[in-house]
Amino acid sequence: MIHIDIAKRVYDHTFKHDPIVRSILDTDVYKLLMLQTIWQEWRDIPVTFSLINRSKTVLLADEIDEIELREQLEHARTVKLTKKENIWLAGNTFYGKERLFKAEFLQWLKHYQLPEFELAKRDGQYVIDIHGKWSEVSLWEIPLLAIISELRSRAAMRGMGRFEVDVTYARAKAKMWEKVLRLAKLPDLRIADFGTRRRHSFLWQRWCVDALKEGLGNNFIGTSNVLLAMDHDLEAIGTNAHELPMVAAALADSDEALKQAPFSVLESWQKTYDSNLLIVLPDAYGTTGFLQDAPEWVANWSGFRIDSKAPIEGGEEIIQWWKKMGKDPKEKLIIFSDGLDIETIESTYNHFNGRVRTSFGWGTNLTNDFRDCAPYRNDTLSAFSVVCKVTEAAGNPTVKLSDNLAKATGPASEVERYLRVFGNEHLTTTEVQV
C-alpha cells in the first residue's frame, strides 16, 4: 500500500488528480444491492431524488462555488463501470455468497451512467433534484452527498497555508488514532466503516480505513464503500435503506396498503437475498409500530439495524420482541449505525456484549471529525447533516417519519397522514447533529 501525504495532496489539489467521484463503485454497497432489486421489480417507476440540508445554519450556496459544484457533478456523470470492476463484482464473494449480482444486472450496469440533474440556488442553499426512472436515479445519492461534503471541506481549507494544512491533518490523525486505541480495548467488537456519504474527502476516508485495518485487525470487519472494499481486500458491508419502504409507501393506494408497505418491501427483498442479508431496517415509520404489526416471519430474519432510535433503548426493544417471538437474541444480530462516536460505541458495546451479536457502522464521526483540529477556529470544517432522499414516486410525495421526527421528510399534510396511519406515540424529536 502506497501512503500518500494527504496534507501536501490537499494543498496542491488539482481536478486532474483528485476528482471527487473516481469510480461508479465509490458508493455504498447497499445502493448496489437495492439497485439490483429495483432493476428486477420496479425499474421504470418515475422518481425524484432531492438534496436536503438538515443543518439550516449551514448555507451551502455561500460556502461552495457553483462552478466547481457543476464541474464535479458533470464529471460524476462521465464515470462508468470499468472492466476490472465488472469482473470483481461478478467474481467476488459477498456475505459468503458467490455471484450475488446476477449476470443480466451486471450487463446493464456495465453501460450505466448517472443521469442529468437540476441545480439552482434558493435562500443560500443549493436546490438539486434528479428526475427519472428509479433504476437510473437511485445511484446519485452517495456521489452527490460526497461531492457536497468534500467541496465544503476544500473550501474551508483553501485559505490555509501549507503548514496550517499539515498541522490540521496531523491533529485529525492523532484524534482518530486515539479513538482506534480505545476501540482496540473492546475484545469482541465488530465495526465497519459507513462514512462515505458525509466524509471529509475520499483520501481521508481511505486513510481512516487503513488506520482501522491496522489498529483493530479482524475486529474491523469491512467498509460500506465498494471501491475501498475492492482496493483494500475488505468485506463490502451493507444491506438496505429507507428508500425501499418510502417508494413502496408512496405507491400504496389506500391507508391499509400504506400500513403494509414496509412488510411488502421485505417480502420483495427476500426474493433476491437470504441469510446474512436479511437485516430489517424498521424505523422508516417508527420502530415500535413496526414491531407491533410485523408478521411472524420477520422474526426469522438475521437481525435489525437501529438507525434513529437511541441505541440502548432500541436494542432492548428489539431483544424483548425477539423473546416474545420465541427467538434467542444470542443467535441474532443488531447493527448500530446512527451518529455513532467513540463514547456511544463503548457504552452500547458494554451494555449488550454477551446478550446479542452486535455490529457497529461508524459513519460521519469516523470520516469527518475535524472538530478543533485547525490551528484557528474553523466551524466550516465541522460535519453537518445533509441527505439525499427520494422525494417523489409515480407523481406521489414520499414520506419518512423516523423514530426521531427531526429527521422526518415530506409535505406536512402527508406527514400528518402517515402519523395517523402508523401512530406517533413512541416517536421523539431530538436535534440531529450529523
Side-chain angles (χ1 to χ4, degrees):
M1 181 65 64
I2 299 174
H3 292 283
I4 293 172
D5 184 340
I6 297 179
K8 185 179 187 306
R9 183 76 161 261
V10 169
Y11 188 80
D12 296 338
H13 256 320
T14 64
F15 192 101
K16 179 180 179 181
H17 290 108
D18 288 309
I20 293 172
V21 177
R22 301 151 194 259
S23 164
I24 205 73
L25 297 189
D26 187 13
T27 191
D28 286 334
V29 70
Y30 77 79
K31 294 299 297 188
L32 294 181
L33 294 170
M34 289 197 303
L35 182 60
Q36 181 166 239
T37 296
I38 292 165
W39 182 80
Q40 290 176 168
E41 300 198 30
W42 307 291
R43 71 180 71 176
D44 293 329
I45 292 175
V47 302
T48 297
F49 272 67
S50 304
L51 184 74
I52 301 171
N53 182 8
R54 298 189 294 214
S55 299
K56 301 303 182 184
T57 59
V58 176
L59 301 179
L60 290 173
D62 293 343
E63 296 185 21
I64 297 173
D65 180 78
E66 183 177 353
I67 294 176
E68 285 188 275
L69 176 56
R70 285 187 181 275
E71 285 181 341
Q72 294 288 351
L73 293 172
E74 290 292 357
H75 171 76
R77 294 192 59 233
T78 69
V79 176
K80 296 177 68 174
L81 194 71
T82 67
K83 183 177 180 180
K84 171 189 172 182
E85 292 167 345
N86 189 62
I87 292 171
W88 183 80
L89 285 176
N92 190 54
T93 299
F94 298 88
Y95 287 93
K97 299 287 183 179
E98 295 181 354
R99 300 180 185 87
L100 190 63
F101 294 105
K102 295 178 172 58
E104 298 84 359
F105 171 69
L106 291 180
Q107 180 64 26
W108 173 83
L109 188 65
K110 184 168 65 173
H111 303 286
Y112 175 82
Q113 288 179 266
L114 294 169
E116 294 182 357
F117 58 90
E118 295 178 359
L119 170 63
K121 289 182 179 180
R122 186 184 305 147
D123 301 326
Q125 300 291 355
Y126 283 116
V127 180
I128 303 178
D129 297 303
I130 306 104
H131 311 281
K133 296 177 181 179
W134 193 7
S135 56
E136 296 174 356
V137 173
S138 179
L139 281 190
W140 251 123
E141 178 185 356
I142 306 302
L144 174 56
L145 293 174
I147 287 169
I148 290 289
S149 293
E150 182 159 351
L151 282 180
R152 185 170 184 257
S153 298
R154 292 186 182 189
M157 304 184 78
R158 186 161 288 134
M160 291 184 179
R162 184 181 297 275
F163 284 95
E164 192 174 359
V165 171
D166 199 33
V167 168
T168 298
Y169 278 104
R171 289 176 174 175
K173 288 179 177 180
K175 185 177 187 180
M176 167 60 188
W177 190 247
E178 285 299 319
K179 294 181 182 182
V180 172
L181 294 179
R182 285 173 63 172
L183 293 176
K185 297 177 181 178
L186 308 179
D188 300 318
L189 180 70
R190 292 169 53 83
I191 193 165
D193 157 45
F194 276 19
T196 299
R197 63 181 53 229
R198 288 190 286 266
R199 66 193 180 196
H200 170 82
S201 71
F202 173 81
L203 295 177
W204 180 249
Q205 183 182 16
R206 187 168 67 178
W207 188 92
C208 291
V209 166
D210 281 337
L212 288 170
K213 190 174 181 180
E214 178 173 320
L216 298 182
N218 291 334
N219 287 3
F220 177 52
I221 60 173
T223 173
S224 64
N225 187 290
V226 188
L227 179 63
L228 292 175
M230 182 181 72
D231 288 346
H232 292 247
D233 194 25
L234 292 167
E235 290 289 332
I237 304 292
T239 53
N240 56 70
H242 302 105
E243 177 182 342
L244 295 178
M246 288 173 69
V247 172
L251 298 177
D253 57 7
S254 66
D255 285 356
E256 181 179 353
L258 173 60
K259 193 155 189 175
Q260 289 303 309
F263 308 113
S264 66
V265 161
L266 298 185
E267 289 182 297
S268 294
W269 183 262
Q270 62 184 1
K271 291 178 185 176
T272 310
Y273 304 113
D274 57 17
S275 63
N276 288 333
L277 282 163
L278 296 183
I279 301 295
V280 184
L281 180 62
D283 72 313
Y285 306 114
T287 297
T288 300
F290 180 97
L291 295 175
Q292 290 173 349
D293 297 328
E296 288 187 11
W297 54 264
V298 174
N300 296 325
W301 278 40
S302 302
F304 280 75
R305 177 161 74 91
I306 297 176
D307 186 63
S308 59
K309 204 158 198 170
I312 291 176
E313 177 188 357
E316 288 292 349
E317 185 174 21
I318 289 168
I319 285 175
Q320 293 309 311
W321 182 78
W322 273 325
K323 289 180 177 179
K324 174 184 172 184
M325 303 302 289
K327 304 299 180 181
D328 182 358
K330 291 184 178 180
E331 297 178 355
K332 298 291 187 177
L333 172 66
I334 300 180
I335 302 171
F336 301 94
S337 64
D338 181 40
L340 300 179
D341 206 356
I342 185 69
E343 292 80 11
T344 313
I345 295 170
E346 288 174 331
S347 61
T348 305
Y349 169 91
N350 288 326
H351 184 87
F352 289 108
N353 191 35
R355 300 175 56 207
V356 63
R357 294 164 54 216
T358 60
S359 179
F360 296 85
W362 197 9
T364 307
N365 287 321
L366 165 66
T367 59
N368 200 356
D369 186 4
F370 279 69
R371 291 167 291 184
D372 303 319
C373 290
Y376 304 99
R377 182 176 176 84
N378 191 338
D379 290 335
T380 56
L381 267 179
S382 297
F384 68 112
S385 185
V386 62
V387 294
C388 178
K389 293 292 184 184
V390 57
T391 52
E392 187 177 276
N396 302 316
T398 61
V399 172
K400 178 192 171 194
L401 295 179
S402 175
D403 286 314
N404 179 4
L405 284 172
K407 291 185 171 184
T409 63
S413 59
E414 283 298 292
V415 169
E416 286 301 316
R417 176 187 170 222
Y418 278 59
L419 287 170
R420 173 174 55 80
V421 170
F422 290 102
N424 65 353
E425 61 270 20
H426 297 287
L427 307 184
T428 62
T429 302
T430 306
E431 183 181 1
V432 180
Q433 299 297 325
V434 295

